[in-house]
Structure formats: C-alpha cells, structure tokens
Coordinates of all heavy atoms in Angstrom, one line a residue:
M1 N 11.8 0.9 79.2 CA 13.0 1.4 78.7 C 13.3 2.9 79.2 O 14.5 3.2 79.5 CB 12.9 1.4 77.1 CG 14.2 1.9 76.5 SD 15.5 0.7 76.8 CE 16.8 1.3 75.8
D2 N 12.2 3.6 79.4 CA 12.4 5.0 79.9 C 13.0 5.0 81.3 O 13.7 5.9 81.6 CB 11.1 5.8 79.8 CG 10.8 6.1 78.3 OD1 11.7 6.5 77.6 OD2 9.6 6.0 78.0
W3 N 12.6 4.0 82.1 CA 13.2 4.0 83.5 C 14.7 3.7 83.4 O 15.5 4.2 84.2 CB 12.5 2.9 84.3 CG 11.2 3.5 84.8 CD1 9.9 3.3 84.3 CD2 11.0 4.3 85.9 NE1 9.0 4.0 85.0 CE2 9.6 4.6 86.0 CE3 11.8 4.8 86.9 CZ2 9.1 5.4 87.0 CZ3 11.3 5.6 87.9 CH2 10.0 5.9 88.0
I4 N 15.1 2.8 82.5 CA 16.6 2.5 82.3 C 17.3 3.8 81.9 O 18.4 4.1 82.4 CB 16.8 1.4 81.3 CG1 16.2 0.1 81.9 CG2 18.3 1.2 81.0 CD1 16.2 -1.0 80.9
I5 N 16.7 4.5 80.9 CA 17.3 5.8 80.5 C 17.4 6.8 81.6 O 18.4 7.5 81.8 CB 16.5 6.4 79.3 CG1 16.6 5.5 78.1 CG2 16.9 7.8 79.0 CD1 15.7 5.8 76.9
L6 N 16.4 6.8 82.5 CA 16.3 7.7 83.6 C 17.4 7.3 84.6 O 18.1 8.2 85.2 CB 15.0 7.7 84.3 CG 14.8 8.6 85.5 CD1 15.0 10.1 85.1 CD2 13.4 8.5 86.0
V7 N 17.6 6.1 84.9 CA 18.7 5.6 85.8 C 20.1 6.0 85.2 O 20.9 6.5 86.0 CB 18.6 4.1 86.1 CG1 19.8 3.6 86.8 CG2 17.3 3.8 86.9
V8 N 20.3 5.8 83.9 CA 21.6 6.2 83.3 C 21.8 7.7 83.5 O 22.9 8.2 83.8 CB 21.6 5.7 81.8 CG1 22.9 6.3 81.2 CG2 21.6 4.2 81.8
A9 N 20.7 8.5 83.2 CA 20.8 9.9 83.4 C 21.2 10.3 84.8 O 22.0 11.2 85.1 CB 19.5 10.6 83.0
G10 N 20.6 9.6 85.8 CA 21.0 9.8 87.2 C 22.4 9.4 87.5 O 23.1 10.2 88.3
V11 N 22.9 8.3 87.0 CA 24.3 8.0 87.2 C 25.2 9.0 86.5 O 26.3 9.4 87.1 CB 24.6 6.5 86.6 CG1 26.0 6.2 86.6 CG2 23.8 5.5 87.4
L12 N 24.9 9.5 85.4 CA 25.7 10.6 84.8 C 25.6 11.9 85.6 O 26.6 12.6 85.6 CB 25.2 10.9 83.3 CG 25.6 9.8 82.3 CD1 24.8 10.0 81.0 CD2 27.1 9.9 82.0
E13 N 24.5 12.1 86.3 CA 24.5 13.2 87.2 C 25.5 13.1 88.3 O 26.2 14.0 88.7 CB 23.1 13.4 87.8 CG 23.0 14.7 88.7 CD 21.7 14.8 89.4 OE1 20.8 13.9 89.4 OE2 21.6 15.8 90.1
V14 N 25.6 11.9 88.9 CA 26.6 11.6 89.9 C 28.0 11.9 89.3 O 28.9 12.5 89.9 CB 26.6 10.1 90.3 CG1 27.7 9.8 91.3 CG2 25.2 9.8 91.0
G15 N 28.2 11.4 88.0 CA 29.5 11.7 87.4 C 29.9 13.1 87.2 O 31.0 13.5 87.5
W16 N 28.9 14.0 86.8 CA 29.2 15.4 86.7 C 29.3 16.1 88.1 O 30.2 17.0 88.2 CB 28.4 16.1 85.7 CG 26.9 16.4 86.0 CD1 25.8 15.7 85.5 CD2 26.4 17.4 86.9 NE1 24.7 16.3 86.0 CE2 25.0 17.3 86.8 CE3 27.0 18.4 87.7 CZ2 24.1 18.2 87.5 CZ3 26.1 19.2 88.4 CH2 24.7 19.1 88.3
A17 N 28.6 15.6 89.0 CA 28.7 16.3 90.4 C 30.1 16.0 91.0 O 30.7 16.9 91.5 CB 27.6 15.8 91.3
I18 N 30.5 14.7 90.9 CA 31.8 14.4 91.4 C 32.9 15.0 90.5 O 33.9 15.5 91.0 CB 32.0 12.8 91.4 CG1 31.1 12.2 92.5 CG2 33.4 12.4 91.7 CD1 31.3 12.7 93.9
G19 N 32.7 15.0 89.2 CA 33.6 15.6 88.3 C 33.9 17.1 88.6 O 35.0 17.6 88.4
L20 N 32.9 17.8 89.1 CA 33.1 19.2 89.4 C 34.2 19.4 90.5 O 35.0 20.3 90.4 CB 31.8 19.8 90.0 CG 30.8 20.3 88.9 CD1 29.5 20.7 89.6 CD2 31.3 21.4 88.0
K21 N 34.3 18.4 91.4 CA 35.3 18.5 92.4 C 36.7 18.4 91.8 O 37.7 19.0 92.3 CB 35.1 17.3 93.4 CG 36.1 17.2 94.5 CD 35.6 18.1 95.6 CE 36.4 17.8 96.9 NZ 36.2 18.8 97.9
Y22 N 36.8 17.6 90.7 CA 38.1 17.5 90.0 C 38.5 18.6 89.0 O 39.6 18.6 88.6 CB 38.2 16.1 89.3 CG 38.2 14.9 90.3 CD1 37.1 14.2 90.5 CD2 39.4 14.6 91.0 CE1 37.1 13.1 91.4 CE2 39.4 13.5 91.9 CZ 38.3 12.8 92.1 OH 38.3 11.8 93.0
T23 N 37.6 19.4 88.7 CA 37.9 20.5 87.8 C 38.6 21.7 88.3 O 39.1 22.5 87.6 CB 36.6 21.1 87.1 OG1 35.8 21.8 88.1 CG2 35.7 20.0 86.5
A24 N 38.7 21.7 89.7 CA 39.4 22.8 90.4 C 38.8 24.2 89.9 O 39.5 25.1 89.5 CB 40.9 22.8 90.1
G25 N 37.4 24.3 90.1 CA 36.8 25.5 89.7 C 36.7 25.7 88.2 O 36.8 26.8 87.7
L26 N 36.7 24.6 87.4 CA 36.7 24.6 85.9 C 38.0 25.1 85.4 O 38.1 25.5 84.2 CB 35.5 25.5 85.4 CG 34.1 25.1 85.8 CD1 33.1 26.0 85.2 CD2 33.8 23.6 85.5
A27 N 39.1 25.0 86.2 CA 40.4 25.4 85.7 C 41.2 24.3 85.1 O 42.1 24.6 84.3 CB 41.2 26.0 86.9
R28 N 40.8 23.1 85.3 CA 41.5 21.9 84.7 C 40.8 21.5 83.4 O 39.6 21.2 83.5 CB 41.7 20.8 85.7 CG 42.6 21.2 86.9 CD 42.7 20.2 87.9 NE 43.3 19.0 87.3 CZ 43.1 17.8 87.7 NH1 42.2 17.5 88.7 NH2 43.7 16.7 87.1
L29 N 41.4 21.5 82.3 CA 40.8 21.3 81.0 C 40.0 20.0 80.9 O 38.8 19.9 80.7 CB 41.7 21.4 79.8 CG 41.2 21.2 78.4 CD1 40.1 22.2 78.1 CD2 42.3 21.1 77.4
W30 N 40.7 18.8 81.0 CA 40.1 17.6 80.7 C 39.0 17.2 81.7 O 38.0 16.7 81.3 CB 41.1 16.5 80.5 CG 41.8 16.7 79.2 CD1 43.1 17.1 79.0 CD2 41.2 16.6 77.9 NE1 43.4 17.3 77.7 CE2 42.3 17.0 77.0 CE3 40.0 16.4 77.4 CZ2 42.0 17.1 75.6 CZ3 39.8 16.4 76.1 CH2 40.8 16.8 75.2
P31 N 39.2 17.4 83.0 CA 38.1 17.1 83.9 C 36.9 18.0 83.6 O 35.8 17.6 83.7 CB 38.7 17.4 85.3 CG 40.2 17.2 85.2 CD 40.5 17.7 83.8
T32 N 37.2 19.2 83.2 CA 36.1 20.1 82.9 C 35.3 19.6 81.6 O 34.1 19.6 81.6 CB 36.6 21.6 82.6 OG1 37.2 22.0 83.8 CG2 35.4 22.5 82.2
V33 N 36.1 19.2 80.6 CA 35.4 18.6 79.4 C 34.6 17.5 79.7 O 33.4 17.4 79.3 CB 36.5 18.3 78.3 CG1 35.9 17.5 77.2 CG2 37.2 19.5 77.8
W34 N 35.1 16.5 80.5 CA 34.3 15.3 80.8 C 33.1 15.6 81.7 O 32.0 15.1 81.5 CB 35.2 14.3 81.5 CG 36.2 13.7 80.6 CD1 37.5 13.8 80.6 CD2 35.9 12.9 79.4 NE1 38.1 13.1 79.6 CE2 37.2 12.5 78.8 CE3 34.8 12.4 78.8 CZ2 37.3 11.8 77.7 CZ3 34.9 11.6 77.7 CH2 36.1 11.3 77.1
T35 N 33.3 16.6 82.6 CA 32.2 17.0 83.4 C 31.0 17.7 82.6 O 29.9 17.3 82.8 CB 32.7 18.0 84.5 OG1 33.6 17.3 85.3 CG2 31.5 18.5 85.4
V36 N 31.4 18.6 81.7 CA 30.4 19.2 80.9 C 29.7 18.2 80.0 O 28.5 18.2 79.8 CB 31.0 20.4 80.1 CG1 30.1 20.9 79.0 CG2 31.5 21.5 81.0
L37 N 30.5 17.3 79.4 CA 29.9 16.2 78.6 C 28.9 15.4 79.4 O 27.8 15.1 78.9 CB 31.0 15.3 78.0 CG 30.5 14.2 77.1 CD1 29.8 14.7 75.9 CD2 31.7 13.3 76.7
A38 N 29.3 15.0 80.6 CA 28.3 14.3 81.5 C 27.1 15.1 81.8 O 26.0 14.5 81.8 CB 29.0 13.8 82.8
M39 N 27.2 16.4 82.0 CA 26.1 17.3 82.2 C 25.1 17.2 81.1 O 23.9 17.1 81.2 CB 26.5 18.7 82.5 CG 27.2 19.0 83.8 SD 27.7 20.7 83.8 CE 28.3 20.8 85.5
I40 N 25.7 17.4 79.9 CA 24.8 17.4 78.7 C 24.1 16.1 78.5 O 22.9 16.1 78.2 CB 25.7 17.8 77.4 CG1 26.2 19.3 77.6 CG2 24.9 17.6 76.1 CD1 27.3 19.7 76.6
L41 N 24.8 15.0 78.6 CA 24.2 13.7 78.4 C 23.2 13.4 79.5 O 22.1 12.9 79.2 CB 25.3 12.6 78.4 CG 26.2 12.5 77.2 CD1 27.4 11.6 77.5 CD2 25.4 12.2 76.0
S42 N 23.5 13.8 80.7 CA 22.5 13.6 81.8 C 21.2 14.3 81.6 O 20.1 13.7 81.7 CB 23.2 14.0 83.1 OG 22.3 13.8 84.2
V43 N 21.3 15.6 81.3 CA 20.1 16.3 81.0 C 19.4 15.9 79.8 O 18.1 15.8 79.7 CB 20.4 17.9 81.0 CG1 19.2 18.7 80.6 CG2 20.9 18.3 82.4
G44 N 20.1 15.5 78.8 CA 19.5 15.0 77.5 C 18.8 13.8 77.7 O 17.6 13.6 77.2
L45 N 19.3 12.8 78.5 CA 18.6 11.6 78.8 C 17.4 11.8 79.7 O 16.4 11.1 79.5 CB 19.6 10.6 79.4 CG 20.7 10.0 78.4 CD1 21.7 9.1 79.2 CD2 20.0 9.2 77.3
L46 N 17.5 12.7 80.6 CA 16.4 13.1 81.4 C 15.2 13.6 80.5 O 14.1 13.1 80.7 CB 16.8 14.1 82.4 CG 15.6 14.7 83.3 CD1 15.0 13.6 84.1 CD2 16.1 15.9 84.1
G47 N 15.6 14.4 79.6 CA 14.5 14.9 78.6 C 13.9 13.8 77.9 O 12.7 13.8 77.6
I48 N 14.7 12.8 77.4 CA 14.1 11.7 76.7 C 13.2 10.8 77.6 O 12.1 10.4 77.2 CB 15.3 10.8 76.1 CG1 16.0 11.5 75.0 CG2 14.7 9.4 75.6 CD1 17.3 10.9 74.6
A49 N 13.6 10.6 78.8 CA 12.8 9.8 79.7 C 11.5 10.5 80.0 O 10.5 9.9 80.2 CB 13.6 9.6 81.0
M50 N 11.5 11.9 80.0 CA 10.3 12.6 80.3 C 9.3 12.6 79.2 O 8.1 13.1 79.4 CB 10.6 14.1 80.6 CG 11.2 14.3 82.0 SD 11.4 16.1 82.2 CE 12.1 16.1 83.9
K51 N 9.6 12.0 78.0 CA 8.7 11.9 77.0 C 7.5 11.0 77.4 O 6.3 11.3 77.0 CB 9.3 11.3 75.7 CG 10.2 12.2 75.0 CD 10.7 11.5 73.7 CE 11.6 12.4 72.9 NZ 12.1 11.7 71.7
S52 N 7.7 10.0 78.3 CA 6.7 9.1 78.7 C 6.5 9.1 80.2 O 5.4 8.6 80.6 CB 6.9 7.7 78.2 OG 8.0 7.2 78.8
L53 N 7.4 9.6 80.9 CA 7.3 9.6 82.4 C 6.8 11.0 82.9 O 7.2 12.0 82.2 CB 8.6 9.3 83.1 CG 9.2 7.9 82.8 CD1 10.6 7.8 83.4 CD2 8.3 6.8 83.3
P54 N 6.0 11.0 83.9 CA 5.6 12.3 84.5 C 6.8 13.2 84.9 O 7.8 12.7 85.4 CB 4.7 12.0 85.7 CG 4.4 10.6 85.5 CD 5.5 9.9 84.7
V55 N 6.7 14.5 84.6 CA 7.9 15.3 84.9 C 8.3 15.3 86.4 O 9.5 15.3 86.7 CB 7.6 16.8 84.4 CG1 6.5 17.4 85.1 CG2 8.8 17.6 84.5
G56 N 7.3 15.4 87.3 CA 7.6 15.4 88.7 C 8.3 14.1 89.1 O 9.3 14.1 89.9
T57 N 7.8 13.0 88.6 CA 8.4 11.7 89.0 C 9.8 11.6 88.4 O 10.8 11.2 89.1 CB 7.5 10.5 88.5 OG1 6.3 10.6 89.1 CG2 8.2 9.2 88.7
A58 N 10.0 11.9 87.1 CA 11.3 11.7 86.5 C 12.3 12.6 87.1 O 13.4 12.2 87.4 CB 11.1 12.1 85.0
Y59 N 11.9 13.9 87.4 CA 12.9 14.8 88.0 C 13.3 14.4 89.4 O 14.4 14.4 89.8 CB 12.3 16.2 88.0 CG 13.3 17.2 88.5 CD1 14.4 17.6 87.7 CD2 13.3 17.8 89.7 CE1 15.4 18.5 88.1 CE2 14.2 18.7 90.2 CZ 15.2 19.0 89.4 OH 16.2 19.9 89.8
A60 N 12.3 14.0 90.2 CA 12.6 13.5 91.6 C 13.5 12.3 91.6 O 14.4 12.2 92.4 CB 11.3 13.2 92.3
V61 N 13.2 11.4 90.7 CA 14.1 10.2 90.6 C 15.5 10.5 90.2 O 16.5 10.1 90.8 CB 13.4 9.1 89.7 CG1 14.4 8.0 89.5 CG2 12.1 8.6 90.4
W62 N 15.6 11.4 89.2 CA 16.9 11.8 88.7 C 17.7 12.5 89.8 O 18.9 12.2 90.0 CB 16.7 12.8 87.5 CG 17.9 13.3 86.8 CD1 18.8 12.7 86.0 CD2 18.3 14.7 86.8 NE1 19.7 13.5 85.6 CE2 19.4 14.8 86.0 CE3 17.8 15.8 87.4 CZ2 20.1 16.0 85.8 CZ3 18.4 17.0 87.2 CH2 19.6 17.1 86.4
V63 N 17.1 13.4 90.5 CA 17.8 14.1 91.6 C 18.1 13.2 92.7 O 19.2 13.3 93.3 CB 16.9 15.3 92.1 CG1 17.4 15.9 93.4 CG2 16.8 16.4 91.0
G64 N 17.2 12.3 93.0 CA 17.4 11.3 94.1 C 18.6 10.4 93.8 O 19.5 10.2 94.7
I65 N 18.7 9.9 92.6 CA 19.8 9.0 92.2 C 21.1 9.9 92.3 O 22.1 9.4 92.8 CB 19.6 8.5 90.8 CG1 18.5 7.5 90.7 CG2 20.9 7.9 90.3 CD1 18.1 7.0 89.4
G66 N 21.0 11.1 91.8 CA 22.2 12.0 91.9 C 22.6 12.3 93.3 O 23.8 12.2 93.6
A67 N 21.7 12.5 94.2 CA 22.0 12.9 95.6 C 22.6 11.6 96.3 O 23.6 11.8 97.0 CB 20.7 13.3 96.3
I68 N 21.9 10.5 96.1 CA 22.4 9.3 96.8 C 23.8 8.9 96.3 O 24.8 8.7 97.0 CB 21.5 8.1 96.6 CG1 20.2 8.4 97.4 CG2 22.1 6.8 97.1 CD1 19.1 7.4 97.0
G69 N 23.9 8.9 95.0 CA 25.2 8.5 94.4 C 26.3 9.4 94.7 O 27.5 9.0 95.0
T70 N 26.1 10.7 94.7 CA 27.1 11.7 95.0 C 27.5 11.7 96.4 O 28.7 11.7 96.7 CB 26.6 13.1 94.6 OG1 26.2 13.2 93.2 CG2 27.7 14.2 94.9
A71 N 26.5 11.5 97.3 CA 26.9 11.3 98.7 C 27.7 10.1 99.0 O 28.7 10.2 99.7 CB 25.6 11.3 99.6
V72 N 27.3 9.0 98.4 CA 28.1 7.7 98.6 C 29.5 7.9 98.0 O 30.5 7.5 98.6 CB 27.4 6.5 98.0 CG1 28.3 5.3 97.9 CG2 26.1 6.2 98.7
M73 N 29.6 8.5 96.8 CA 30.9 8.7 96.2 C 31.8 9.7 97.0 O 33.0 9.5 97.1 CB 30.8 9.2 94.8 CG 30.2 8.1 93.8 SD 31.1 6.5 93.8 CE 32.6 7.0 93.1
G74 N 31.1 10.6 97.7 CA 31.8 11.6 98.6 C 32.4 10.8 99.7 O 33.5 11.1 100.2
I75 N 31.7 9.9 100.3 CA 32.1 9.1 101.4 C 33.3 8.2 100.9 O 34.3 8.2 101.6 CB 31.0 8.2 101.9 CG1 29.9 9.0 102.6 CG2 31.5 7.1 102.9 CD1 28.6 8.3 102.9
V76 N 33.2 7.6 99.8 CA 34.2 6.7 99.3 C 35.5 7.4 98.8 O 36.6 7.1 99.2 CB 33.7 5.8 98.1 CG1 34.8 5.0 97.4 CG2 32.6 4.9 98.6
L77 N 35.3 8.5 98.1 CA 36.5 9.2 97.4 C 37.1 10.3 98.3 O 38.3 10.5 98.2 CB 36.0 9.8 96.1 CG 35.6 8.8 95.0 CD1 35.1 9.5 93.8 CD2 36.8 7.9 94.6
F78 N 36.2 11.0 99.1 CA 36.7 12.2 99.8 C 36.6 12.1 101.3 O 36.7 13.1 102.0 CB 35.9 13.4 99.3 CG 35.9 13.5 97.8 CD1 34.7 13.5 97.1 CD2 37.1 13.6 97.0 CE1 34.7 13.7 95.7 CE2 37.1 13.8 95.7 CZ 35.9 13.8 95.0
D79 N 36.4 10.9 101.8 CA 36.4 10.6 103.2 C 35.4 11.5 103.9 O 35.6 12.0 105.1 CB 37.8 10.8 103.9 CG 38.8 9.8 103.4 OD1 38.3 8.6 103.3 OD2 39.9 10.1 103.2
E80 N 34.2 11.8 103.3 CA 33.2 12.5 103.9 C 32.5 11.6 105.0 O 32.6 10.4 104.9 CB 32.1 13.0 102.9 CG 32.7 14.0 101.9 CD 31.7 14.4 100.8 OE1 30.6 13.9 100.8 OE2 32.1 15.2 100.0
P81 N 31.9 12.2 106.0 CA 31.3 11.4 107.1 C 30.3 10.4 106.6 O 29.5 10.7 105.7 CB 30.7 12.5 108.0 CG 30.6 13.7 107.3 CD 31.6 13.7 106.1
A82 N 30.2 9.3 107.3 CA 29.3 8.2 107.0 C 28.6 7.8 108.3 O 28.5 6.7 108.6 CB 29.9 7.1 106.4
N83 N 28.1 8.8 109.0 CA 27.4 8.5 110.3 C 26.0 7.9 110.1 O 25.5 8.0 109.0 CB 27.4 9.8 111.2 CG 26.6 10.9 110.6 OD1 25.5 10.8 110.1 ND2 27.3 12.1 110.5
L84 N 25.4 7.4 111.1 CA 24.2 6.7 111.0 C 23.1 7.6 110.5 O 22.3 7.2 109.6 CB 23.8 6.1 112.4 CG 22.5 5.3 112.4 CD1 22.6 4.1 111.5 CD2 22.2 4.9 113.8
L85 N 22.9 8.8 111.0 CA 21.9 9.7 110.5 C 22.0 10.0 109.0 O 21.0 10.0 108.3 CB 21.9 11.0 111.4 CG 20.8 12.0 111.0 CD1 19.4 11.3 111.2 CD2 20.9 13.2 111.9
R86 N 23.2 10.2 108.6 CA 23.4 10.5 107.2 C 23.0 9.3 106.3 O 22.3 9.4 105.3 CB 24.9 10.9 106.9 CG 25.1 11.3 105.5 CD 26.5 11.9 105.4 NE 26.6 12.6 104.1 CZ 27.7 12.9 103.4 NH1 28.8 12.5 104.0 NH2 27.7 13.5 102.3
L87 N 23.4 8.1 106.7 CA 23.1 6.9 105.9 C 21.6 6.6 106.0 O 21.0 6.2 105.0 CB 23.9 5.7 106.5 CG 25.4 5.8 106.3 CD1 26.1 4.7 106.9 CD2 25.8 6.0 104.8
L88 N 21.0 6.8 107.1 CA 19.5 6.6 107.2 C 18.8 7.7 106.3 O 17.8 7.3 105.7 CB 19.0 6.8 108.6 CG 19.3 5.6 109.5 CD1 18.9 5.9 111.0 CD2 18.7 4.3 109.1
S89 N 19.3 8.9 106.2 CA 18.7 9.9 105.4 C 18.8 9.5 103.9 O 17.8 9.7 103.1 CB 19.3 11.2 105.6 OG 19.1 11.6 107.0
L90 N 19.9 9.0 103.5 CA 20.1 8.5 102.1 C 19.1 7.3 101.9 O 18.6 7.2 100.8 CB 21.5 8.1 101.9 CG 22.5 9.2 101.9 CD1 24.0 8.7 101.8 CD2 22.2 10.2 100.7
L91 N 18.9 6.5 102.9 CA 18.0 5.3 102.7 C 16.6 5.8 102.5 O 15.8 5.3 101.7 CB 18.1 4.4 103.9 CG 17.3 3.1 103.9 CD1 17.7 2.3 102.7 CD2 17.4 2.4 105.2
L92 N 16.2 6.9 103.2 CA 14.9 7.5 103.0 C 14.7 8.1 101.6 O 13.6 7.9 101.0 CB 14.7 8.6 104.0 CG 14.4 8.1 105.5 CD1 14.4 9.3 106.4 CD2 13.1 7.3 105.5
I93 N 15.8 8.7 101.0 CA 15.7 9.1 99.6 C 15.5 7.9 98.7 O 14.6 7.9 97.8 CB 17.0 9.9 99.2 CG1 17.1 11.2 100.1 CG2 16.9 10.2 97.7 CD1 18.4 11.9 99.9
F94 N 16.2 6.8 99.0 CA 16.1 5.6 98.2 C 14.6 5.1 98.3 O 14.0 4.7 97.3 CB 17.1 4.6 98.6 CG 17.0 3.3 97.8 CD1 17.5 3.2 96.5 CD2 16.4 2.2 98.4 CE1 17.4 2.0 95.8 CE2 16.3 1.0 97.7 CZ 16.8 0.9 96.4
A95 N 14.1 5.1 99.5 CA 12.7 4.6 99.7 C 11.8 5.5 98.9 O 10.8 5.0 98.3 CB 12.4 4.6 101.2
G96 N 12.0 6.8 98.8 CA 11.2 7.7 98.0 C 11.2 7.3 96.5 O 10.2 7.3 95.8
I97 N 12.4 7.0 96.0 CA 12.6 6.6 94.6 C 11.8 5.4 94.3 O 11.1 5.3 93.3 CB 14.1 6.5 94.3 CG1 14.8 7.8 94.3 CG2 14.3 5.8 92.9 CD1 16.3 7.7 94.2
V98 N 12.0 4.4 95.2 CA 11.2 3.1 95.0 C 9.7 3.4 95.1 O 9.0 2.8 94.3 CB 11.7 2.1 96.1 CG1 10.8 0.8 96.1 CG2 13.1 1.7 95.9
G99 N 9.3 4.2 96.0 CA 7.9 4.5 96.1 C 7.4 5.2 94.8 O 6.2 4.9 94.4
L100 N 8.1 6.1 94.3 CA 7.7 6.7 93.0 C 7.6 5.7 91.9 O 6.7 5.7 91.1 CB 8.7 7.8 92.6 CG 8.6 9.1 93.5 CD1 9.7 10.0 93.2 CD2 7.2 9.8 93.3
K101 N 8.5 4.8 91.8 CA 8.5 3.7 90.8 C 7.3 2.8 91.0 O 6.6 2.5 90.0 CB 9.8 2.9 90.8 CG 9.8 1.7 89.9 CD 9.6 2.0 88.5 CE 9.8 0.8 87.6 NZ 8.7 0.5 86.7
L102 N 7.0 2.4 92.2 CA 5.9 1.5 92.5 C 4.6 2.2 92.3 O 3.5 1.5 92.0 CB 6.0 1.0 93.9 CG 7.2 0.1 94.2 CD1 7.2 -0.3 95.7 CD2 7.1 -1.2 93.3
S103 N 4.5 3.5 92.3 CA 3.3 4.3 92.2 C 2.9 4.4 90.7 O 1.8 4.8 90.4 CB 3.3 5.6 92.8 OG 4.2 6.5 92.1
M104 N 3.8 4.1 89.8 CA 3.5 4.2 88.4 C 2.7 3.0 87.9 O 2.9 1.9 88.3 CB 4.8 4.2 87.6 CG 5.7 5.5 87.9 SD 4.9 7.0 87.4 CE 4.7 6.8 85.6
P105 N 1.7 3.2 87.0 CA 0.9 2.1 86.5 C 1.7 1.2 85.6 O 2.7 1.4 85.1 CB -0.2 2.8 85.7 CG 0.2 4.2 85.6 CD 1.3 4.5 86.5

C-alpha cells in the first residue's frame, strides 16, 4: 500500500510542477490554489509512505516519478524537445526507480 501512496505522491508532484507554469509566477489565483494544494498533498503522502519505506528509496522514487512525469508533460503540453538523448535519459531514471523497487525485500 505504501508504494501506491508513493506513486500517487509522485503524480501529484507532476501536477504541482506543471501547475507552477500556469500560475504566472503565483499571480493567477486558482492555478496557484490548485498548485499549492497539490504540493501539500504530495509532500503529505510522501511522509506517509516514509513510515515504512526507507527515506532514501522513497525520496528517490518520488523525485524520479516527478522528473519523468514533468518532462513528459512538458513535451506534450509545452512542445519541449523530445530528442533521443532526452528520452533515453528519462528511461534511465525509470530504470533506477524499478531497480529501487526490486531491491526492496
């Protein structure tokens, strides 16, 4: 269950990272409210997951999910580059997340 909570926390991290783009420097009220709410929920769920998962593993997975998801959403939403090296680098982050999961007893 803690891994599911951690994945949800990572997805919320993607939400607040992308949300920051829509806040216009925290100048737009509703995008800012949703972004801050996603931040609070993301960190809160990360804390819950850390009750039973090692801090290094939980944090690395949380950041990895956030990094991959935010980069992919940047490609989809903001026409950021999707060259081969960038995609391979994201795949390496994913491989690291899978490795961390598989290393757990």
Side-chain angles (χ1 to χ4, degrees):
M1 185 63 171
D2 288 319
W3 280 97
I4 293 169
I5 291 169
L6 184 58
V7 169
V8 172
V11 170
L12 285 166
E13 184 187 4
V14 174
W16 69 255
I18 295 299
L20 280 173
K21 182 83 170 169
Y22 290 104
T23 67
L26 304 178
R28 296 179 60 213
L29 177 63
W30 289 111
T32 300
V33 169
W34 290 113
T35 298
V36 170
L37 181 61
M39 287 176 176
I40 292 167
L41 289 171
S42 179
V43 173
L45 290 174
L46 173 62
I48 291 168
M50 283 184 181
K51 286 182 180 181
S52 67
L53 297 175
V55 65
T57 299
Y59 185 74
V61 169
W62 180 71
V63 169
I65 292 169
I68 293 168
T70 302
V72 168
M73 293 305 291
I75 292 166
V76 171
L77 296 173
F78 307 121
D79 293 321
E80 294 177 1
N83 59 52
L84 181 61
L85 182 57
R86 188 169 192 204
L87 296 176
L88 286 174
S89 297
L90 292 172
L91 186 61
L92 288 172
I93 295 170
F94 180 75
I97 292 170
V98 171
L100 288 169
K101 171 64 172 124
L102 293 175
S103 71
M104 296 295 299

